[in-house]
């Protein structure tokens, strides 16, 4: 079973806010000059910010934050965020892999940006409402 697609807009302003909240002020997250100097295509979103957005989608599917039992990902591609008013989009889709007898739902999650997968092995286990 497929779950409803969730789409998140990511702008440079979001990266600034996340940097302030997380304390991660690495210039790859705000300086095109620095990001390209170290071989990146431009400023990239924090990996943990990307993971948090996907976590928000999982929480919405689960119905509440405390219904998320387990969640993990591997980072595969950076999310490049252009310096304009639109930024970029992360699209999150998922499918139910299994519903266990003890009321847990295992889902496989896909997160893409511009058609490219940005996370791999993204999985979550949520407590199913009875």
């Amino acid at each position: 079973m497929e779950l409803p697609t969730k789409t998140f807009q990511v702008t440079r302003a979001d990266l600034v806010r996340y940097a302030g909240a997380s304390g991660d002020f690495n210039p790859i997250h705000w300086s095109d000059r620095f990001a390209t100097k170290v071989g990146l295509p431009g400023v990239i979103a924090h990996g943990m910010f990307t993971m948090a957005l996907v976590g928000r989608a999982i929480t919405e599917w689960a119905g509440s934050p405390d219904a998320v039992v387990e969640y993990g990902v591997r980072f595969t591609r950076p999310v490049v965020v252009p310096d304009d008013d639109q930024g970029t989009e992360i699209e999150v889709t998922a499918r139910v892999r299994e519903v266990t007898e003890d009321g847990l739902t295992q889902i496989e999650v896909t997160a893409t940006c511009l058609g490219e997968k940005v996370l791999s092995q993204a999985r979550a286990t949520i407590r199913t409402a009875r």
Side-chain angles (χ1 to χ4, degrees), residues 11-78:
T11 66
R12 293 277 178 99
D14 295 319
L15 301 186
V16 170
R17 286 188 287 275
Y18 184 81
S22 69
D24 182 352
F25 295 100
N26 187 322
I28 64 173
H29 303 304
W30 56 267
S31 170
D32 279 308
R33 185 171 39 91
F34 188 86
T36 56
K37 183 178 176 183
V38 299
L40 294 167
V43 165
I44 63 169
H46 304 73
M48 294 304 290
F49 179 65
T50 302
M51 187 176 177
L53 291 175
V54 174
R56 185 188 308 171
I58 292 166
T59 299
E60 289 177 15
W61 290 321
S64 81
D66 66 347
V68 180
V69 176
E70 185 175 48
Y71 168 47
V73 305
R74 290 192 185 240
F75 303 103
T76 54
R77 280 200 162 70

Side-chain angles (χ1 to χ4, degrees), residues 70-88:
E70 185 175 48
Y71 168 47
V73 305
R74 290 192 185 240
F75 303 103
T76 54
R77 280 200 162 70
V79 173
V80 179
V81 182
D83 189 13
D84 60 21
D85 293 334
Q86 284 72 45
T88 194

